[in-house]
Amino acid sequence: MQHDFTSHSADLAQPRSFPWIAHGFALGGDYSPEQWPEELWQEDVALMRRAGVNSVNLGVFSWGLLEVADGQYDWGWLDRAMDLLHENGVGVNLATPTAAPPMWLMQAHPEIATVDQFGVRTSQGGRLAWSPSSAVFRRYALRFVRAIAERYGSHPALRLWHVSNEIGNENARCYSDETALAWQSWLAAKFGDIAALNEAWGTAFWGHHYTSFDQVLPPRHARTAHNPGLLLDFERFTSDALLGHYLAERAVLREVTPDIPITTNFMVMNSPGVADYRRWADEVDLVANDHYTIGADPERHGELSFSADRARGIAGGRPWLLIEHSTSAVNWQPVNRAKSVGELARNSLAHIARGADGALFFQWRVSSAGSEQFHSGIVPHAGADSKIFREVEQLGATLRALAPVVGSTVERARVGILFDWESASAWQAGNKPTRSISYLDLPLALHRAVTARGIAAEVVRPQDGLEGFDLVLVPTLYLAAPGVAEGLTEFVRGGGHVLVSYLSGIVDEHNRVITGGYPGAFRELLGVRVEEFFPLFEGESVTLDTGQTATTWTELLRTEGAEVLSSYATGELAGIPAITRARVGAGTATYLATTLDAAGIRSLVDDLVALAGVAPVADVDAGLEVTRRVSGDRSFLFLINHTDASLTARASGTDLVTGSVHPGSVAVPAGGVVVLEEDAR
Amino acid sequence: MQHDFTSHSADLAQPRSFPWIAHGFALGGDYSPEQWPEELWQEDVALMRRAGVNSVNLGVFSWGLLEVADGQYDWGWLDRAMDLLHENGVGVNLATPTAAPPMWLMQAHPEIATVDQFGVRTSQGGRLAWSPSSAVFRRYALRFVRAIAERYGSHPALRLWHVSNEIGNENARCYSDETALAWQSWLAAKFGDIAALNEAWGTAFWGHHYTSFDQVLPPRHARTAHNPGLLLDFERFTSDALLGHYLAERAVLREVTPDIPITTNFMVMNSPGVADYRRWADEVDLVANDHYTIGADPERHGELSFSADRARGIAGGRPWLLIEHSTSAVNWQPVNRAKSVGELARNSLAHIARGADGALFFQWRVSSAGSEQFHSGIVPHAGADSKIFREVEQLGATLRALAPVVGSTVERARVGILFDWESASAWQAGNKPTRSISYLDLPLALHRAVTARGIAAEVVRPQDGLEGFDLVLVPTLYLAAPGVAEGLTEFVRGGGHVLVSYLSGIVDEHNRVITGGYPGAFRELLGVRVEEFFPLFEGESVTLDTGQTATTWTELLRTEGAEVLSSYATGELAGIPAITRARVGAGTATYLATTLDAAGIRSLVDDLVALAGVAPVADVDAGLEVTRRVSGDRSFLFLINHTDASLTARASGTDLVTGSVHPGSVAVPAGGVVVLEEDAR
Amino acid sequence: MQHDFTSHSADLAQPRSFPWIAHGFALGGDYSPEQWPEELWQEDVALMRRAGVNSVNLGVFSWGLLEVADGQYDWGWLDRAMDLLHENGVGVNLATPTAAPPMWLMQAHPEIATVDQFGVRTSQGGRLAWSPSSAVFRRYALRFVRAIAERYGSHPALRLWHVSNEIGNENARCYSDETALAWQSWLAAKFGDIAALNEAWGTAFWGHHYTSFDQVLPPRHARTAHNPGLLLDFERFTSDALLGHYLAERAVLREVTPDIPITTNFMVMNSPGVADYRRWADEVDLVANDHYTIGADPERHGELSFSADRARGIAGGRPWLLIEHSTSAVNWQPVNRAKSVGELARNSLAHIARGADGALFFQWRVSSAGSEQFHSGIVPHAGADSKIFREVEQLGATLRALAPVVGSTVERARVGILFDWESASAWQAGNKPTRSISYLDLPLALHRAVTARGIAAEVVRPQDGLEGFDLVLVPTLYLAAPGVAEGLTEFVRGGGHVLVSYLSGIVDEHNRVITGGYPGAFRELLGVRVEEFFPLFEGESVTLDTGQTATTWTELLRTEGAEVLSSYATGELAGIPAITRARVGAGTATYLATTLDAAGIRSLVDDLVALAGVAPVADVDAGLEVTRRVSGDRSFLFLINHTDASLTARASGTDLVTGSVHPGSVAVPAGGVVVLEEDAR
């Protein structure tokens, strides 16, 4: 696949040649000089040079320090910081700092803040308190965006506009009266007339019939669960309202600085969260993602890989930027685990292996005050003479050695995993047969089983097309958008292989159950008909006739054309099929009706990849994460060792960091990373 | 006991001959044609005929679909549904659909909704949001009730008015200013002058002295526990306020349709809940109950039996109707377990065995949209070709075979279990010695031990009289209403046997502790005096000198006339009596001062039934639930097998379903039910 | 040490000779005659005489019963109660009953109540609902205080003013608009100009820059953690606001009754709570403390000892009064455990052993109504013929036998444990590296290890001076106030020995991290530099090379001059030092970088007391709590046996209760207490 050397957005006046953020892979992070005396800035840039930092996010949250009173600006310190960074060869992703309304604005206009479902308005003291539906906030924000764009639009340090920060993270789901009006307008635009809304949501249930759009309130506090259709649309509205704010800022920026690319930082693993990032991605010039591991998760490197594949999927396969991650501990988990020696590099390079063109950290220098005073950074409280700074320095050296990789993209995988924000949101909306299943569970488990075999996967939205795949996994794709079942069926008829799991195709785009038997949308393709769900309690399990163990979810299933691969041997449903397969056209459609344990998942994936004839990226020892980036006829193998022992990959090439030549096999030390430029294949 | 062939309420103009709901046992459920296209209605009635459905609850929640704007009615669809049902021989329990105020009403009058103790008003989107103290809501509701009564009062399908739905389930305990006024009026009516209230509640504590009724607010948010007397009266007020709404609707219905019986569906196992159903029962023409099992409870069939006995107790021994239960899973539990094969029939028939004259389900056809889209029904999403529909069909056949049982009542038991809403409410009101004891724990445990021996029990309010009992169990009857201790004492003197447990007779009707030693009200009868409570922590246990194990609750007890049956052998209270017995007149009064495990409870019950000479309903294997209904000189034995093995009852008669004659003994298959018309005894 | 025979406060007009509360040790408690018919009062005083009660707290919460309407007083019952108590030789600590605003006042002025961070105003029904920043409340309260002071100021029963009750327990942290104004004034007074506040709190973070004090709101609901500096100052403001109310009442009382000592009851183990009691102590004439054990805590007697040592520390070593504890169960814990036989006496005497000059109980007669109807008292519901009353009677006899001890003080210990409300409050304010560490954990563990060896300790604020100590323990002293590090360093240079733990000296007085490496303030003294925190998850542990086990907390530490006492042998940090020691001047500074288990703590304390040459109070068996009170050249050994076996102390003297003479050794029976007047040493 050829690399797209231009920025993403079609309407950028002067498409920038890649890489526009930095020469080579981007390294750096959020820089907050405003928190420190200016005499320390010289030390900062000296250390940046030492570590190879070439890119910083600047000005995030600094609105109140720049617009010091209504309409009164103080640009001095930012002027000096921009100049200093430029002099030191550091590119700037300049924030429109709208994530933090100034205190004078919060005081003058408390009504800009979000209101929760109980009617409580957010007060000052956090961040992102503003409602995207607040007209007053929008007016102030855009005035400031124009001012900062006019001030710095032609500054030579400027590489990218970083719009606001993690939009939606703390200002999602506003329930205010002003938001209610925006919600009603959104509904009117979507449905046209109220009868269509009543039909879509099935408001005959509980007599929730509306006779005009102005009767429809946000899902405020009620003593029973809200209508699932309403809840799902409120998530969509919220995503659109937040995106609307981004678009409003973008319009000002585009007008003032038509040549400067624009993005905003996503949090793709907050999914379902409130942002339909796959749709947002169409509006940014570069997909930029924030990712933080959960220290208590022993499989966190698997979750990271999934996140990176998903970020690439959202970016449509194009390069993307890891715009925030952490050097070590964060500050918001119950116990904030520090990263082990080497984990920082493994994390950064795993993102790059999966398509990131840089690895930025929050933040440069750890704050001594404020809410995040214990969030790790590049320069810890203890200073640069520290494990962390040395690891970042070493990462900088590694990235420089990876210069040949710059401009490459990840080799397109033959396995697709369908993952959809709408589906996740629908599953979360309202009362469900069980609360023991999170939408991420099965996608993560399947991704882990696939990548553990050295096989690459794309994490994509069902609507993005299945071209090029041999095997498509459809884990708990609860909502079947129009056309998805048809697309899958066509894929299978044409020789593709598909695995569909329980809780897929259950509801339509309005979160209404598709009747006639589960999994409604995929029933015909799969040749099964599920009469009734039999969720299991925590601690309950049943055995399959293959000896495998199942928990959490079982179903009363009848085949209608499919063959039975395995059945329950114990429990309420003994004798009922648990895994089935239908042959359809030139392909197969496998149905998984139960929650297998990790061994069962591995075994099922083994069977499927054999069926589809999918080969691993390379022949590697278990425990070695392997991916390939390609650029023209050059190819680069990333090998990441997550174990405590040295592991081997059967591959030939040159280690880009050490320069060693490996004919036939390469050993990757415990906890280490090797990037091999492969011999021509 | 002779069956009461007329409706319950004395003021029904034309007492209806039983059964008025249906010919034979009622079978059916909530029917919501308004949720489906009319072309499906023909399939519905065809399926109803196939399954033997003869009774539906219609129009629940359909206010907004009938009064489409303020004072503007659209009866068309309901006219057609009523006619169609009538043509197909299905009787209608027509709802006054006030459980769901129309959206136009919620929009015009948001002040009709309940307000919680934090001042948050319920918004739209659930059900039953209205406050029973809202004058505006009352006016709109009664206008609609009159309209629907006038429209359908003489429709031939109409059998029963189903007033609103589960009143109190989501609109209990309103704390609004309008409610405060109603509360103050209620208090003024109850106490007459404020000094009496101060005395009753003991407001000298913490200086909570009131000088006028208008100072007394509902128990809104405070940072310490409220006065227990106030809390208990607020529960009583809430029950009365909700009942008041029912009575207001009833008055309109009675005026317009004096010949149509009226009820509202109770939820007796929500107890304590907020409804004193024993008092409500005096106001309905037929006690109708909703019952849902908790899937995670392995003893749920025992809880069901208790519920059914309690419903019969509330109905004063007269027939009652199971107006809602589920065919399989519900949707509001954390994991919604499906019912096993046969469980639907066992559940339905267990209710009928204990006096129900029908078994209706929520609902006919499972909704595809709305908050309950995953609540099971008679026709699942998968359609009629399904386990559930077939089981309902089979139940219909069984019920037709049980025609001879129609008109019978449950044989009066000789064991009474005292259970009281006021007592439960008092125990829940305020800080208590332990939070580890729920009011249902011991009543359920005793009921289970009694019925496990094949012995029948009545679950009755203490004030309902003890006539006819040989043994009365008094589990944690925390509040002793005036006269209860005297009644029990008289019962014992006359030769009755009584078991009183810990936490009985502790407080008077104002939730004030009766001083002088626990259990104050029953101390003299029992011949004991408890100085101090010694609750145990979770995981703690002590051993009795009988070898039994006790947990949760122990007491520092001194006998004053009673003999000691067993004492603690270990722990803080080693040597102190745990179970005592006093001989009083011709009877005995046993006191249980601690929480026994199941074996201990069984052993205690064995001892008591032997003492009282109570015989089982029939001689059956353990695991077989047995009850008897009688009608004139005919008698019917219901045998329900809750185990995985065939079990035997030593009884002679004819199986009403199969027609087989069983001389001397009958085998009940695993999971099965046999109804035997007994040979003349 | 000489006993201070005069009251604490310098400005008391007529310093009272000790003891002013009672002749001999005070015994009694809260007395609420207003809750009972007057005919019972005679029984009360008869029982008081029997038990030896000589001191009661009267009138707490009785405002509404005395000011029955705005400005209208009814003193009758209190007149009679005061007289009756005086006639029976019982001294009265008369409450200004402002803890309970009358209902007429709550009705007329609901705005006097606190508002929480969500904007919810506290309603009636609890206690202490008032905001200390309410001007209206202050006006009414002071008018009543003046009235009661004028009424009873010269009554012969009056010994002490008991101002309000547990100020701050339910009225801490008000967020109302009126409080916001007080908060802004407090900040303006503290910081002078807004730039100083911005600098102190580091408001550049998240752009929280203020341009005027009136922009700074209380930390109301936000969707992220507030600034740690703001949170800490809000705790200080809250403490000052509550103290301000006390001072306002005190001013009135001092004016009207200049000769009567004044106090208010503290809750020192609510720490951090909201009251900086060490500062409050300067404003009371006698430190009075409330203490309640947590039944579920198997180490509760250790917690009690710590509490008593802390009360003494707060009192500056002077006598103090245990003004509330319980005879047995309380009513606010999930399971309210009754006290074992003998526990009442052990608890009371343990407080006296550590400096209390009395042991009062809440309350005299257990209420039959009200929120605390199940809180134990001296006269239980069962009456005086009860275990509890008999135990109080026996305690009375013991206290009379201890007459020679009256006027003595606790011998000054050579071990100091530094404990600071500000430090605790800072640790609680905002996001931290782990939530698994409570501020009390390590202080309690060290105190337990020290006292388990029979060694006495003082629990003091760091600023109170280290004079007289040989060994100073500094457990998790998170905030290093100015001068504290210097004071410790001077102490060590002069030959003292100090143990500093992890999480000490991390932040300055503004809750800002001290940069350069942890533990910032103490780094130089300790000769270490910590780069990074490595908190452990629950269930994780590592082993030290000494074989000890560590959990919860570890650190990446480098020595800079200190020697290594032990290092991690396993885990992420294997080989990194865990305990170090620096020799500084004539002393040593030991650093503990990890959370040891109880055995590890004991071993560390053994090492430290050996190093410092600290001797035990007496040579006693393990399990025997030992303390010494001294008076001139007389000394008294308190020996409390917390085990089930008889234990021995090697000491000579006379048992004050039995009169037995013990030459060389004395056996203390299981669960018993012996007070020995020691032979001259």
Side-chain angles (χ1 to χ4, degrees), chain C residues 399-476:
Chain C
L399 291 182
R400 284 191 296 279
L402 298 190
V405 186
V406 174
S408 66
T409 55
V410 175
E411 186 181 48
R412 170 79 172 178
R414 291 170 62 204
V415 176
I417 298 179
L418 303 193
F419 190 89
D420 184 23
W421 176 86
E422 292 220 332
S423 195
S425 298
W427 172 247
Q428 288 209 148
N431 282 338
K432 294 293 179 290
T434 182
R435 290 183 209 157
S436 300
I437 294 176
S438 294
Y439 188 68
L440 272 169
D441 295 347
L442 192 57
L444 275 176
L446 287 171
H447 185 268
R448 192 176 300 132
V450 167
T451 55
R453 287 182 52 99
I455 294 171
E458 306 290 336
V459 177
V460 291
R461 196 173 54 164
Q463 298 89 324
D464 291 334
L466 309 178
E467 213 179 323
F469 293 133
D470 296 320
L471 173 62
V472 170
L473 307 177
V474 186
T476 54

Side-chain angles (χ1 to χ4, degrees), chain B residues 347-364:
Chain B
N347 289 175
S348 296
L349 293 168
H351 285 288
I352 287 172
R354 292 175 188 275
D357 272 359
L360 307 189
F361 295 95
F362 177 86
Q363 61 177 339
W364 168 252

Side-chain angles (χ1 to χ4, degrees), chain B residues 367-624:
Chain B
S367 302
S368 67
S371 183
E372 298 186 335
Q373 62 186 166
F374 289 107
H375 192 296
S376 63
I378 296 175
V379 183
H381 288 143
D385 177 12
S386 56
K387 161 203 157 221
I388 288 176
F389 187 80
R390 280 185 290 271
E391 291 202 23
V392 173
E393 233 181 319
Q394 195 177 343
L395 175 64
T398 299
L399 291 182
R400 283 190 298 278
L402 298 190
V405 186
V406 175
S408 67
T409 54
V410 175
E411 186 181 47
R412 172 79 172 176
R414 291 169 63 205
V415 176
I417 299 179
L418 304 193
F419 190 89
D420 184 22
W421 176 86
E422 293 220 332
S423 196
S425 298
W427 171 247
Q428 286 210 148
N431 282 337
K432 292 294 179 291
T434 182
R435 289 183 210 158
S436 299
I437 294 176
S438 294
Y439 188 67
L440 273 168
D441 294 347
L442 192 57
L444 276 176
L446 287 171
H447 185 268
R448 191 176 301 132
V450 168
T451 57
R453 286 182 53 99
I455 295 172
E458 306 290 335
V459 177
V460 292
R461 198 173 53 162
Q463 298 90 324
D464 291 334
L466 309 177
E467 213 178 325
F469 293 133
D470 296 320
L471 173 63
V472 170
L473 307 178
V474 187
T476 53
L477 189 75
Y478 184 69
L479 178 152
V484 168
E486 292 74 5
L488 264 184
T489 303
E490 192 185 339
F491 169 76
V492 174
R493 285 196 189 288
H497 300 273
V498 69
L499 170 75
V500 175
S501 86
Y502 54 93
L503 288 174
S504 295
I506 303 301
V507 297
D508 66 16
E509 72 271 29
H510 300 301
N511 219 353
R512 294 184 66 132
V513 174
I514 301 169
T515 55
Y518 315 115
F522 304 122
R523 197 160 61 77
E524 204 174 313
L525 169 62
L526 296 164
V528 300
R529 181 167 154 276
V530 174
E531 278 187 26
E532 200 178 349
F533 299 141
F534 276 68
L536 303 183
F537 291 109
E538 201 176 344
E540 262 191 303
S541 69
V542 293
T543 304
L544 270 57
D545 55 11
T546 55
Q548 287 166 351
T549 300
T551 57
T552 313
W553 189 264
T554 63
E555 297 179 339
L556 177 54
L557 176 151
R558 313 287 180 191
T559 54
E560 296 190 340
E563 64 173 311
V564 177
L565 298 190
S566 69
S567 299
Y568 305 104
T570 65
E572 200 75 64
L573 299 180
I576 299 290
I579 310 178
T580 64
R581 181 167 294 156
R583 306 197 165 270
V584 180
T588 66
T590 304
Y591 182 60
L592 171 65
T594 188
T595 309
L596 297 176
D597 61 12
I601 291 281
R602 274 196 302 274
S603 157
L604 179 63
V605 163
D606 282 355
D607 171 60
L608 290 164
V609 298
L611 191 69
V614 181
V617 171
D619 176 18
V620 297
D621 286 354
L624 214 46

Side-chain angles (χ1 to χ4, degrees), chain B residues 146-474:
Chain B
R146 182 172 300 274
I148 199 170
E150 288 173 348
R151 181 90 189 172
Y152 299 105
S154 56
H155 194 285
L158 180 62
R159 296 285 179 282
L160 178 72
W161 286 114
H162 176 296
V163 169
S164 203
N165 184 64
E166 297 186 345
I167 297 175
N169 204 3
E170 287 101 5
N171 59 346
R173 300 188 189 91
C174 179
Y175 301 82
S176 72
D177 289 342
E178 191 170 9
T179 295
L181 296 174
W183 161 235
Q184 290 156 4
S185 298
W186 186 92
L187 289 170
K190 170 167 183 166
F191 288 108
D193 74 282
I194 194 71
L197 177 150
N198 281 318
E199 173 60 24
W201 292 355
T203 58
F205 186 82
W206 282 355
H208 286 174
H209 189 71
Y210 301 98
T211 52
S212 70
F213 284 107
D214 62 11
Q215 284 164 9
V216 192
L217 296 179
R220 293 174 180 163
H221 170 64
R223 288 164 78 170
T224 31
H226 282 275
N227 182 299
L230 180 152
L231 289 171
L232 176 58
D233 271 333
F234 192 68
E235 295 296 292
R236 289 172 171 137
F237 157 74
T238 295
S239 177
D240 282 358
L242 293 163
L243 178 61
H245 180 83
Y246 166 81
L247 292 175
E249 289 202 23
R250 191 185 70 169
V252 173
L253 295 170
R254 199 67 99 209
E255 180 195 335
V256 180
T257 63
D259 294 341
I260 305 296
I262 305 170
T263 194
T264 186
N265 50 341
F266 293 178
M267 304 161 290
V268 307
M269 289 307 278
N270 272 24
S271 178
V274 286
D276 188 353
Y277 286 125
R278 182 61 192 81
R279 292 188 49 234
W280 289 37
D282 294 340
E283 311 297 346
V284 295
D285 295 319
L286 169 72
V287 165
N289 192 40
D290 292 0
H291 185 264
Y292 293 93
T293 53
I294 302 295
D297 175 11
E299 304 274 6
R300 58 191 173 277
H301 61 82
E303 190 271 353
L304 184 157
S305 299
F306 183 88
S307 168
D309 282 353
R310 178 153 150 71
R312 186 177 71 255
I314 284 170
R318 281 181 294 255
W320 55 281
L321 179 65
L322 179 68
I323 200 164
E324 277 187 32
H325 73 322
S326 73
T327 59
S328 189
V330 297
N331 68 323
W332 43 269
Q333 295 174 14
V335 174
N336 293 291
R337 186 186 166 279
K339 290 192 179 176
S340 307
V341 172
E343 191 169 352
L344 181 161
R346 288 196 302 277
N347 289 175
S348 296
L349 293 168
H351 285 288
I352 287 172
R354 292 175 188 275
D357 272 359
L360 307 189
F361 295 95
F362 177 86
Q363 61 177 339
W364 168 252
R365 189 181 279 278
V366 177
S367 302
S368 67
S371 183
E372 298 186 335
Q373 62 186 166
F374 289 107
H375 192 296
S376 63
I378 296 175
V379 183
H381 288 143
D385 177 12
S386 56
K387 161 203 157 221
I388 288 176
F389 187 80
R390 280 185 290 271
E391 291 202 23
V392 173
E393 233 181 319
Q394 195 177 343
L395 175 64
T398 299
L399 291 182
R400 283 190 298 278
L402 298 190
V405 186
V406 175
S408 67
T409 54
V410 175
E411 186 181 47
R412 172 79 172 176
R414 291 169 63 205
V415 176
I417 299 179
L418 304 193
F419 190 89
D420 184 22
W421 176 86
E422 293 220 332
S423 196
S425 298
W427 171 247
Q428 286 210 148
N431 282 337
K432 292 294 179 291
T434 182
R435 289 183 210 158
S436 299
I437 294 176
S438 294
Y439 188 67
L440 273 168
D441 294 347
L442 192 57
L444 276 176
L446 287 171
H447 185 268
R448 191 176 301 132
V450 168
T451 57
R453 286 182 53 99
I455 295 172
E458 306 290 335
V459 177
V460 292
R461 198 173 53 162
Q463 298 90 324
D464 291 334
L466 309 177
E467 213 178 325
F469 293 133
D470 296 320
L471 173 63
V472 170
L473 307 178
V474 187

Side-chain angles (χ1 to χ4, degrees), chain A residues 208 221 435 516 518 529 531-532, chain B residues 123 126 328 334 381 385 387:
Chain A
H208 286 174
H221 171 65
R435 291 183 208 157
Y518 315 115
R529 181 167 155 276
E531 279 187 25
E532 200 178 349
Chain B
S123 186
S328 189
H381 288 143
D385 177 12
K387 161 203 157 221

Side-chain angles (χ1 to χ4, degrees), chain A residues 54 66 125 180 226 235 264 331 362 386 437 480 484 527 609 641 644 675:
Chain A
N54 54 18
L66 295 170
H226 282 274
E235 295 296 292
T264 186
N331 69 323
F362 177 85
S386 56
I437 294 176
V484 168
V609 297
N641 186 343
D644 293 340
V675 183

